[in-house]
Amino acid sequence: MRSSTTARIARRRSLRVGAAALTAAAGLSLVAWSGSGAADTESAGRTSARAAVADASPAGWSGLQSVGAKAALAGGTRAATAKSASPIRTQTLVDGSTAKIYDLGNQRYRAEIVSRGAVVATLQTTEEEIDAGLDANDMFVVLTMGGEVHSWMGGGQQGPGTFHLAGGWTAKVTKIGELRYRAQIIGLDGSVDATLETKGHDVGLDANGVPIVLSAGGVISAHE
């Protein structure tokens, strides 16, 4: 964790609102990735998170998706919104796919993950849900309220349980329902500085420069 108390306080807008913990959630997400050996190694949490099946996508993407992602990936109105304008930039992700980032205004951003010319997943921030996250079978992606994209491989820990995360954070993950998990993000002083809660889809958070993803199957990972 960043040692600077000043930096931590400066980011309170994304970590705490008054005494209540901020609930962050992804607008849209895919929850499955079928890269080499994924079928043999995926956890029970990821298996239970598969709520719907779409047609197979290119370049290893399985097309398995969460309920929250279904409407947009099927080509609904929200999916067309970002496509009406050019991306503000593109970024290569850790697995070699590309993220196209769109500025939707009012600190709202959309990232389309493209593999071999096809959009295989989408993340979108909203005014309430300021950061978005995705777990694609051990590739984790966070889209922040500032339009930054972070991606990394591995480090997933299956909840429920209490886990040490990158950056010095601790996560207490509890299961609260079907495809619903809650993670309290705890600082060195023992305070709960943020709360992530899934509602059938993956969620993400930028915790003072440390991106964190909690999947609908209860897998949590962070990267520094």
Side-chain angles (χ1 to χ4, degrees):
M1 189 193 318
R2 303 288 190 274
S3 60
S4 171
T5 302
T6 302
R8 181 173 172 182
I9 294 174
R11 290 297 303 275
R12 284 298 186 191
R13 71 180 190 281
S14 66
L15 291 179
R16 186 186 295 171
V17 178
L22 173 68
T23 298
L28 310 165
S29 66
L30 268 175
V31 295
W33 172 267
S34 64
S36 175
D40 296 329
T41 60
E42 64 187 5
S43 68
R46 290 189 181 89
T47 301
S48 66
R50 295 178 173 181
V53 180
D55 294 334
S57 301
W61 283 85
S62 68
L64 294 166
Q65 63 192 50
S66 71
V67 173
K70 187 174 181 180
L73 292 172
T77 302
R78 286 187 298 174
T81 302
K83 295 180 181 178
S84 63
S86 298
I88 57 174
R89 72 176 189 282
T90 60
Q91 180 176 328
T92 301
L93 303 182
V94 67
D95 71 327
S97 59
T98 299
K100 293 184 177 181
I101 300 99
Y102 299 82
D103 186 349
L104 306 180
N106 297 321
Q107 289 190 319
R108 295 172 56 242
Y109 289 87
R110 183 181 182 86
E112 295 181 346
I113 300 177
V114 179
S115 180
R116 294 185 182 178
V119 177
V120 294
T122 303
L123 297 93
Q124 183 170 315
T125 65
T126 69
E127 292 178 356
E128 296 81 17
E129 300 169 346
I130 59 176
D131 301 319
L134 168 67
D135 172 11
N137 280 5
D138 261 359
M139 183 181 79
F140 298 91
V141 184
V142 167
L143 172 66
T144 74
M145 65 179 295
E148 300 172 345
V149 173
H150 304 275
S151 68
W152 67 97
M153 299 295 296
Q157 302 180 87
Q158 177 65 59
T162 300
F163 310 102
H164 295 294
L165 303 180
W169 297 103
T170 297
K172 183 178 180 181
V173 180
T174 56
K175 185 173 183 178
I176 56 176
E178 184 64 23
L179 298 183
R180 293 193 63 181
Y181 284 82
R182 179 181 294 130
Q184 294 178 315
I185 309 302
I186 302 168
L188 284 177
D189 60 0
S191 64
V192 176
D193 290 325
T195 298
L196 288 164
E197 185 173 319
T198 67
K199 297 178 180 178
H201 58 71
D202 305 339
V203 293
L205 173 70
D206 176 9
N208 286 2
V210 177
I212 302 172
V213 169
L214 175 66
S215 80
V219 176
I220 192 163
S221 181
H223 180 69
E224 187 176 28

